[in-house]
Amino acid sequence: MHITSAPIRIAVAGGNYGGLSAMRELYLQLLATNPDYDGVKQAPPNPNIKITLIDRRDGFVHYLGMTRGLCQSEYGNKLWVPYSSMPWLRHPSISVKKGIVTRVAPRHIELADTSDRVEFDYLVVALGLSRSAPIGVAASTRDEYLKDMDKQRALIGNAQSVVVVGGGAVGTELAAEIKSTFPQKDVTLIHSHSLPIPGPLFTSEFRRSVADVLQLLGVQTLFGERVVDESSTGSDEAGTMAVKHGDILPELIDSVRRNTTLTTSSGLIVYGDVVFNCLGAKTKDSLIDLPSSSNEPVFSSHGIRVNEFMQVDDPSYSHVFAAGDVSSKDVLKFAGPATGGGRIAATNIARLIRAPSGAVPVLEATKRKVGNDKNGVVEPEYGSIKLVLGERHGVIQKGAEVVPTESAIRMMSPDIKLGKVMRSLYIGAFPTQGK
């Protein structure tokens, strides 16, 4: 192997679906390159490559299963997987750095509570979006996560009345999961639109089907209502945990309330022993410091502007890629597209690195762009949209059609893809191509 004077430095900011997918692909394409590599043991050292994963947590969190994890302890405790359980991340060319990203600059990353910088030649930004607790995990270690989940489950378990504010995907799934697990509890969903799950990807039929399932489960739905006032006599559990962990995500505060009386826009009075605010996620624009070379900003309300190669869509940043929720690629922020985007970003970085000097490599593009079909419905880049509504119910939209109920139930993953995701992390193993 020819050794260069200095290794090529690749940084991946953020783990989870997009970041770990990028790390896995970088491992396969830049480290596991010897012909006899079979995934049985660690890939040989490559002194020409240095890959750094930066994450505020010490492990992966399967966010898709969080609503169920809040109701079922055995399932919920499996959702956090420490990076230390993945031996491929201990490759001599890989380092995992635990820290909170405070600034992404054109050639380096700055972290909280340290003057150290992570310099890079190539970067994958996979920081995700900031989500409210308890879905947005404030914990930075598995032990903290388990304690926090126990507290949240105790709040739900001891409550007779639970109110969920916000009828997007997270709020709807949370209300359905609580009612399915604890049918004796009073569960109310308050949503400002006339039907749940707003957004250009969803048909009216899909949204009505979701409302029908909620009614079938016994969730009281207050659609077309906004919360205009609230009074609470309970402590703010989410805020306490966010401060305790030193997290810099202020939106984690005021997201879980106890003993709260809510007033809606029509004057309805709703009381909840526990109230969850599920009012969407927030972008991390304050962290991204990539000045645009044009009048169009690099970062918008949709995320970092990327092209079909997951590359920042600005000639100044051909070395910077973004994947997952933080990128502008997907109208909706799902785990599947995040995983695919991370893989494509890593593949294209590998192609740029391997290209002969002066050559322009052919980069891999995403399969198709998001656009309107003949019915005016925005078609996602992925095949179907699935909403899990408890263990026995779900609604699926494929294109502009809603899958019949019985078929949808059969198509649902009973464990919300936990097993599939665990296998993709290569716990106690090493990655191989095509799996």
Side-chain angles (χ1 to χ4, degrees):
M1 175 186 296
H2 173 68
I3 300 177
T4 58
S5 57
I8 297 172
R9 303 162 301 177
I10 307 168
V12 177
N16 257 55
Y17 301 106
L20 272 189
S21 175
M23 290 294 296
R24 184 171 58 247
E25 200 64 26
L26 290 169
Y27 181 96
L28 288 168
Q29 297 208 29
L30 295 177
L31 303 178
T33 56
N34 52 312
D36 60 345
Y37 175 78
D38 56 6
V40 174
K41 59 183 179 179
Q42 189 73 271
N46 185 343
N48 297 325
I49 299 294
K50 179 182 178 182
I51 307 171
T52 303
L53 171 64
I54 306 165
D55 197 348
R56 67 181 182 88
R57 295 183 292 259
D58 68 3
F60 170 91
V61 180
H62 183 45
Y63 277 114
L64 283 180
M66 281 299 298
T67 55
R68 181 163 299 170
L70 288 167
C71 299
Q72 301 179 17
S73 60
E74 182 177 358
Y75 178 87
N77 293 346
K78 298 176 182 178
L79 300 179
W80 185 293
V81 183
Y83 292 137
S84 59
S85 67
M86 306 172 202
W88 57 280
L89 289 178
R90 297 195 291 271
H91 188 280
S93 291
I94 294 177
S95 61
V96 179
K97 193 174 186 67
K98 187 171 178 286
I100 296 174
V101 174
T102 57
R103 180 170 176 248
V104 176
R107 287 291 178 179
H108 72 269
I109 292 172
E110 297 175 11
L111 305 174
D113 303 322
T114 179
S115 59
D116 294 343
R117 295 178 170 185
V118 177
E119 310 282 345
F120 58 81
D121 300 300
Y122 294 94
L123 170 66
V124 179
V125 183
L127 291 170
L129 294 173
S130 297
R131 300 183 183 276
S132 297
I135 302 301
V137 178
S140 63
T141 68
R142 186 173 186 273
D143 287 343
E144 291 176 350
Y145 163 79
L146 293 176
K147 291 177 182 177
D148 289 352
M149 290 292 281
D150 284 343
K151 289 180 180 179
Q152 299 288 356
R153 280 192 289 263
L155 286 176
I156 295 172
N158 294 329
Q160 177 54 43
S161 59
V162 179
V163 179
V164 178
V165 181
V170 172
T172 301
E173 289 190 340
L174 180 59
E177 198 70 53
I178 294 174
K179 189 63 177 178
S180 296
T181 307
F182 306 102
Q184 75 280 8
K185 296 186 185 297
D186 299 321
V187 179
T188 303
L189 176 65
I190 302 175
H191 185 52
S192 59
H193 295 263
S194 59
L195 287 171
I197 320 296
L201 289 180
F202 304 112
T203 65
S204 296
E205 182 186 1
F206 177 84
R207 300 172 68 196
R208 283 193 295 270
S209 297
V210 173
D212 290 343
V213 173
L214 292 172
Q215 184 177 22
L216 177 66
L217 290 172
V219 175
Q220 182 180 6
T221 55
L222 300 178
F223 296 142
E225 296 280 358
R226 294 180 181 273
V227 174
V228 296
D229 189 31
E230 69 173 67
S231 60
S232 176
T233 59
S235 63
D236 181 349
E237 295 291 331
T240 301
M241 287 186 288
V243 173
K244 178 187 70 176
H245 296 133
D247 206 298
I248 61 168
L249 305 177
E251 60 274 12
L252 289 174
I253 299 174
D254 299 327
S255 57
V256 183
R257 295 288 197 185
R258 291 191 296 168
N259 306 328
T260 300
T261 300
L262 305 174
T263 304
T264 72
S265 49
S266 70
L268 292 174
I269 304 298
V270 183
Y271 174 81
D273 294 327
V274 178
V275 176
F276 291 98
N277 286 336
C278 298
L279 297 175
K282 297 182 180 180
T283 61
K284 297 182 177 180
D285 54 320
S286 61
L287 307 182
I288 310 301
D289 187 9
L290 301 176
S292 176
S293 62
S294 68
N295 293 327
E296 189 174 2
V298 168
F299 199 104
S300 71
S301 59
H302 299 296
I304 298 175
R305 180 163 48 88
V306 296
N307 57 24
E308 65 269 33
F309 311 118
M310 307 308 296
Q311 197 173 34
V312 173
D313 193 14
D314 187 296
S316 299
Y317 307 114
S318 59
H319 63 296
V320 179
F321 296 74
D325 292 358
V326 78
S327 82
S328 64
K329 187 66 184 70
D330 299 294
V331 176
L332 281 183
K333 309 301 185 180
F334 286 168
T339 301
R343 184 194 65 77
I344 290 173
T347 295
N348 289 333
I349 288 174
R351 291 183 181 184
L352 289 169
I353 291 173
R354 292 195 301 257
S357 178
V360 178
V362 176
L363 301 183
E364 181 176 341
T366 51
K367 292 183 179 179
R368 62 173 183 257
K369 297 180 180 179
V370 174
N372 289 349
D373 70 5
K374 62 182 180 180
N375 297 315
V377 175
V378 177
E379 182 183 10
E381 198 172 346
Y382 21 95
S384 62
I385 299 169
K386 299 179 182 179
L387 203 67
V388 180
L389 301 173
E391 287 192 294
R392 299 181 180 179
H393 298 279
V395 181
I396 299 176
Q397 178 181 309
K398 296 190 72 173
E401 303 295 328
V402 174
V403 176
T405 302
E406 293 301 320
S407 298
I409 293 173
R410 290 194 297 271
M411 293 171 64
M412 288 290 179
S413 172
D415 65 350
I416 317 180
K417 297 187 177 180
L418 177 61
K420 180 179 180 179
V421 169
M422 295 298 107
R423 291 189 295 274
S424 75
L425 298 177
Y426 291 92
I427 301 168
F430 302 95
T432 53
Q433 290 282 6
K435 291 187 179 181

